[in-house]
């Protein structure tokens, strides 16, 4: 009889004594992670609701890790490293988008069974999502009031709100490459959402008309477009999932729900990179 290679017994070198060694579960701290799903109701589907949001927050932590490092890499003229990080961000975004497909299996009737137990807690309060918006350049200082009860978190978010976004450092990369840009754009108040500038638009247009000469800047621009494209798809799936489950009800955190999510779809993080598609 042929040996069954899928049988662990056939693997003579497998370690089984972990009295003095770290296990897989130890390394990943699975005891802590897998004991963090605490339902506030007895309803079966609350477990789905909790896990989807926890998994999304873990992916967002990785997005922030990559975006922060990409910003630093661009500032240090390490473009290839930044490209790898931004490519990873877009792959992570596809995973978060697919999470909405799983959550959409929750029906309105099922959600109503435990929605009231959430109180005023809402995904609107996700501080990691705010940090991602800040890193991409969408600054909303008034939102920080939500986090005032946690001094350390508030200071962390305020610092992120005042820091240059990935588009700010990309504009600075244009200036380093010799493009003549409006000085008020190159050195500006980073706590204010960027609104666009003709000199920046002209510079990006020149990059796209001379791809070989400005290959790194061209690659950077396309990576940024990828990130925004996937973020907007995430926002759209979020909106449709919310509409599917609660319709046009007010969100648990007090937002207008679907109407708010529709409004943010109109915001563009990197306006010149989208406008040049028309202007080339």
């Amino acid at each position: 009889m042929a040996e069954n290679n899928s049988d662990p017994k056939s693997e003579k070198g497998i370690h089984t004594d972990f009295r003095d060694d770290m296990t897989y579960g130890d390394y990943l701290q699975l005891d802590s992670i897998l004991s963090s799903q605490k339902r506030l109701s007895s309803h079966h589907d609350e477990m789905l609701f909790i896990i989807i949001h926890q998994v999304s927050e873990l992916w967002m932590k990785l997005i922030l890790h990559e975006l922060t490092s990409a910003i630093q890499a661009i500032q240090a003229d390490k473009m290839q490293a930044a490209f790898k990080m931004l490519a990873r961000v877009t792959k992570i975004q596809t995973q978060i988008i697919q999470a909405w497909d799983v959550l959409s299996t929750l029906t309105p009737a099922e959600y109503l069974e435990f929605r009231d137990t959430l109180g005023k807690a809402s995904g609107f309060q996700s501080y990691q999502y705010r940090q991602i918006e800040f890193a991409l350049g969408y600054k909303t200082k008034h939102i920080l009031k939500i986090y005032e009860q946690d001094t350390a978190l508030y200071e962390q978010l305020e610092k992120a709100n005042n820091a240059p976004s990935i588009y700010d450092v990309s504009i600075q990369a244009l200036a380093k490459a010799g493009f003549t840009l409006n000085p008020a754009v190159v050195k500006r108040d980073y706590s204010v959402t960027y609104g666009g500038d003709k000199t920046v638009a002209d510079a990006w247009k020149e990059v796209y008309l001379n791809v070989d000469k400005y290959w790194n800047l061209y690659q950077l621009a396309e990576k940024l477009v990828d990130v925004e494209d996937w973020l907007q798809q995430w926002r759209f799936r979020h909106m449709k999932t919310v509409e599917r489950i609660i319709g046009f009800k007010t969100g648990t955190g007090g937002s207008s729900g679907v109407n708010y999510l529709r409004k943010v779809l109109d915001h563009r993080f990197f306006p010149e990179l989208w406008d040049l598609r028309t202007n080339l």
Side-chain angles (χ1 to χ4, degrees):
M1 181 183 293
E3 183 179 37
N4 181 0
N5 291 325
S6 65
D7 185 352
K9 293 178 182 177
S10 68
E11 296 291 332
K12 305 302 183 184
I14 290 178
H15 298 291
T16 57
D17 185 353
F18 286 94
R19 283 172 291 186
D20 299 316
D21 292 304
M22 177 177 66
T23 67
Y24 170 83
D26 294 334
Y27 175 67
L28 295 178
Q29 299 186 52
L30 291 182
D31 284 348
S32 174
I33 292 173
L34 298 180
S35 62
S36 296
Q37 295 73 46
K38 303 186 187 303
R39 289 183 292 169
L40 298 180
S41 75
S42 60
H43 196 273
H44 173 84
D45 292 313
E46 190 181 356
M47 184 64 75
L48 162 70
F49 190 82
I50 292 171
I51 288 177
I52 287 293
H53 287 85
Q54 288 182 339
V55 168
S56 294
E57 289 291 335
L58 284 172
W59 280 129
M60 282 191 274
K61 182 173 183 175
L62 186 54
I63 287 176
L64 281 168
H65 177 68
E66 300 296 339
L67 280 178
T68 301
S69 295
I71 289 171
Q72 294 169 352
I74 294 168
Q75 289 175 314
D77 296 321
K78 296 178 180 179
M79 290 297 190
Q80 295 302 317
F83 298 160
K84 175 67 182 293
M85 295 163 189
L86 292 174
R88 182 175 291 161
V89 167
T90 59
K91 292 299 183 183
I92 299 166
Q93 288 173 303
T94 66
Q95 297 300 307
I96 298 184
I97 290 169
Q98 289 177 353
W100 294 123
D101 295 337
V102 182
L103 187 59
S104 67
T105 63
L106 180 69
T107 69
E110 290 163 346
Y111 184 44
L112 282 175
E113 292 290 328
F114 64 86
R115 188 182 190 229
D116 285 347
T117 65
L118 302 180
K120 295 178 181 178
S122 166
F124 184 83
Q125 298 145 14
S126 169
Y127 58 84
Q128 289 198 122
Y129 180 71
R130 294 298 165 203
Q131 286 178 286
I132 290 172
E133 286 190 328
F134 294 168
L136 295 177
Y138 186 43
K139 305 299 181 75
T140 49
K141 187 171 183 178
H142 63 280
I143 290 292
L144 297 185
K145 190 171 181 62
I146 294 172
Y147 313 100
E148 284 181 339
Q149 79 285 352
D150 185 332
T151 303
L153 176 59
Y154 183 87
E155 290 175 355
Q156 177 184 329
L157 287 167
E158 189 172 44
K159 181 179 178 181
N161 187 70
N162 294 332
S165 72
I166 198 161
Y167 199 49
D168 288 317
V169 299
S170 298
I171 290 172
Q172 290 164 6
L174 288 172
K176 288 179 186 178
F179 288 99
T180 302
L181 302 180
N182 180 356
V185 172
V186 178
K187 292 184 178 180
R188 67 184 197 88
D189 180 354
Y190 301 128
S191 68
V192 177
T193 299
Y194 176 76
D197 183 88
K198 185 179 185 303
T199 63
V200 174
D202 290 343
W204 283 125
K205 185 175 182 180
E206 186 70 16
V207 167
Y208 273 74
L209 291 174
N210 296 276
V211 171
D212 291 340
K213 183 178 179 181
Y214 300 111
W215 178 249
N216 275 346
L217 290 170
Y218 172 71
Q219 284 276 84
L220 175 59
E222 285 299 294
K223 288 289 187 287
L224 293 177
V225 169
D226 287 342
V227 170
E228 178 164 352
D229 189 349
W230 282 109
L231 183 71
Q232 293 292 46
Q233 291 187 53
W234 182 90
R235 282 173 158 180
F236 179 79
R237 287 297 296 125
H238 184 189
M239 178 194 73
K240 294 307 293 183
T241 303
V242 170
E243 184 177 359
R244 176 172 177 154
I245 296 174
I246 68 167
F248 287 83
K249 291 186 180 75
T250 300
T252 50
S255 75
S256 57
V258 170
N259 288 326
Y260 170 79
L261 296 173
R262 279 185 175 170
K263 276 192 301 183
V264 297
L265 278 172
D266 292 332
H267 175 75
R268 297 189 303 170
F269 294 90
F270 319 128
E272 291 91 357
L273 295 181
W274 292 100
D275 288 341
L276 70 80
R277 268 86 181 145
T278 303
N279 298 330
L280 276 178

